[in-house]
Amino acid sequence: MAKLGAVLAACLLAGPALANDTMAELKTGGLTYVQSTEVSMEEENLFVSPDEIRVDYVFSNETDKDVHSVIAFPMPDVTGGPEQNIALSDTESDNMLDFSVTQDGQPIRPELQQRALANGIDVAAELKAKGVPLPPLSKAAVAAADGLDAATKEDWVGRGIIMTEEYDAGNGMESHALPLWTLQSVYWWKTTFPAKSKVRVRHRYKPSVGGTVATTFLDENNQPKGERYQEYVRRFCIDDTMVKLARRSNADMAAGKPYFVENWISYVLKTGANWSGPIKRFKLTVDKGAKENFVSFCGAGVKKTGPTTFEMTAEDFYPDHDLDILLLVATEAMQ
């Protein structure tokens, strides 16, 4: 698939600067399925915005028999530790991305399978036995880990399940435990693809939107050079327009004027290749969220379809790489 940058020009608005650290986005994607020659994906209609990812599928079983199977939605891995800065709106919930799914218009209540890995070993049962919640970045998990008895703490530190952190909060040195395990979660459900029939599935969730405090893909001299710039060219297909915007934004930030910050959204497209044959009709809609924002991503034949939306369509589509979206967001628009 040819790679073309889709960029919308906009103007800067005055506003106060945003102050926060770099946030890491979690790469999410579509439904997975054991590779099959019986069920094909007729259509995939993918909508991506900073607020929502929504995917509508049409699956087809052209055989003479019903196909009974399992469909799964893997959540991104979440790892604990003192330096984790993950862009999640809800770190307390197992359903951290507010995932929901319907089939032929009827809501499905999927099962949730979770593992908590420490050095490659699943310790979920031990965590549950001690009353420690599995989401490692949740306040509840941190409090429960810190409240463990001394013998359990010593054992779990030695096995890499937790760590201890020492600091002075104003009352002398204190030692506290922090989760280190990696949470792996998969939503799954059993389904039937009736013979000679089509099945429509929709799922939606909130994306993990990463970001920075400025534009970061130019070098220290504000030039389009270096490994990070090349990574952005490869990942987001940035072009001269984005370079000019970044240069102006960095100069404005240095002068104390309003500037742009980066947001990133990532989506795993390659899981669509698990279904039989290509995706017969594929449509991608990217909504940049606000007219003041700029957007760049890799695609073929991308067209602007509205004040904030861009579309790409393809037939007999084999997804051979994932989708990464770069947004430049004016600081005033982030108030």
Side-chain angles (χ1 to χ4, degrees):
M1 182 171 68
K3 293 187 175 181
L4 300 173
V7 181
L8 178 66
C11 50
L12 278 166
L13 297 180
L18 178 74
N20 68 301
D21 295 331
T22 298
M23 296 177 294
E25 88 278 25
L26 297 175
K27 183 167 282 195
T28 50
L31 306 180
T32 63
Y33 180 74
V34 177
Q35 198 159 15
S36 170
T37 59
E38 300 170 314
V39 179
S40 63
M41 191 183 294
E42 295 284 311
E43 298 179 24
E44 179 177 356
N45 190 335
L46 170 62
F47 173 87
V48 181
S49 78
D51 298 318
E52 181 183 44
I53 291 178
R54 187 172 66 245
V55 196
D56 291 284
Y57 303 94
V58 178
F59 299 112
S60 179
N61 174 13
E62 298 298 333
T63 70
D64 294 323
K65 62 178 182 178
D66 293 349
V67 175
H68 306 284
S69 189
V70 169
I71 297 180
F73 175 73
M75 300 281 277
D77 291 357
V78 178
T79 300
E83 298 180 357
Q84 295 297 325
N85 192 10
I86 304 298
L88 287 173
S89 59
D90 185 3
T91 57
E92 303 301 309
S93 171
D94 287 325
N95 192 4
M96 57 189 172
L97 300 178
D98 195 22
F99 172 75
S100 64
V101 60
T102 64
Q103 183 164 316
D104 291 330
Q106 299 300 311
I108 292 173
R109 185 167 184 158
E111 302 289 336
L112 176 60
Q113 176 181 301
Q114 291 183 307
R115 299 197 303 164
L117 299 181
N119 291 322
I121 299 172
D122 188 0
V123 296
E126 292 184 71
L127 295 176
K128 291 177 181 178
K130 291 291 185 179
V132 180
L134 297 187
L137 300 182
S138 68
K139 294 178 181 178
V142 172
D146 198 35
L148 292 167
D149 60 89
T152 301
K153 281 186 179 179
E154 182 179 2
D155 176 46
W156 286 15
V157 167
R159 295 163 58 197
I161 301 173
I162 62 174
M163 64 170 289
T164 55
E165 186 178 40
E166 294 186 354
Y167 56 84
D168 187 347
N171 298 310
M173 294 301 295
E174 302 176 9
S175 178
H176 295 277
L178 286 175
L180 281 183
W181 64 86
T182 295
L183 179 65
Q184 294 183 340
S185 305
V186 178
Y187 284 98
W188 64 273
W189 61 97
K190 295 179 180 179
T191 194
T192 297
F193 299 96
K196 299 294 184 181
S197 297
K198 299 186 189 312
V199 170
R200 288 170 168 79
V201 176
R202 163 179 278 204
H203 77 276
R204 63 163 300 279
Y205 55 91
K206 297 177 181 177
S208 165
V209 181
T212 65
V213 297
T215 54
T216 62
F217 51 85
L218 303 182
D219 69 9
E220 64 274 10
N221 297 314
N222 221 15
Q223 298 298 314
K225 298 178 180 179
E227 292 184 8
R228 188 169 181 86
Y229 172 73
Q230 293 302 324
E231 177 192 357
Y232 273 55
V233 171
R234 175 191 58 77
R235 186 179 174 192
F236 303 111
C237 292
I238 59 174
D239 61 8
D240 290 344
T241 300
M242 296 298 275
V243 170
K244 291 176 182 178
L245 285 168
R247 280 176 168 164
R248 189 175 75 186
S249 177
N250 291 338
D252 286 343
M253 183 177 65
K257 299 178 181 179
Y259 57 94
F260 281 115
V261 297
E262 295 178 19
N263 280 180
W264 319 300
I265 306 173
S266 296
Y267 182 89
V268 179
L269 271 176
K270 289 186 288 189
T271 53
N274 289 339
W275 304 84
S276 175
I279 303 170
K280 294 180 181 177
R281 289 178 296 279
F282 175 77
K283 179 180 178 182
L284 167 67
T285 302
V286 174
D287 189 330
K288 66 192 181 106
K291 291 187 293 184
E292 296 81 12
N293 296 346
F294 297 79
V295 63
S296 185
F297 60 94
C298 299
V302 177
K303 298 179 181 178
K304 181 175 179 289
T305 57
T308 63
T309 55
F310 299 84
E311 287 185 3
M312 170 192 138
T313 59
E315 295 185 357
D316 295 329
F317 177 63
Y318 279 100
D320 59 2
H321 70 276
D322 295 330
L323 173 67
D324 292 293
I325 297 170
L326 170 66
L327 296 173
L328 297 187
V329 180
T331 51
E332 181 174 283
M334 301 191 68
Q335 291 187 62

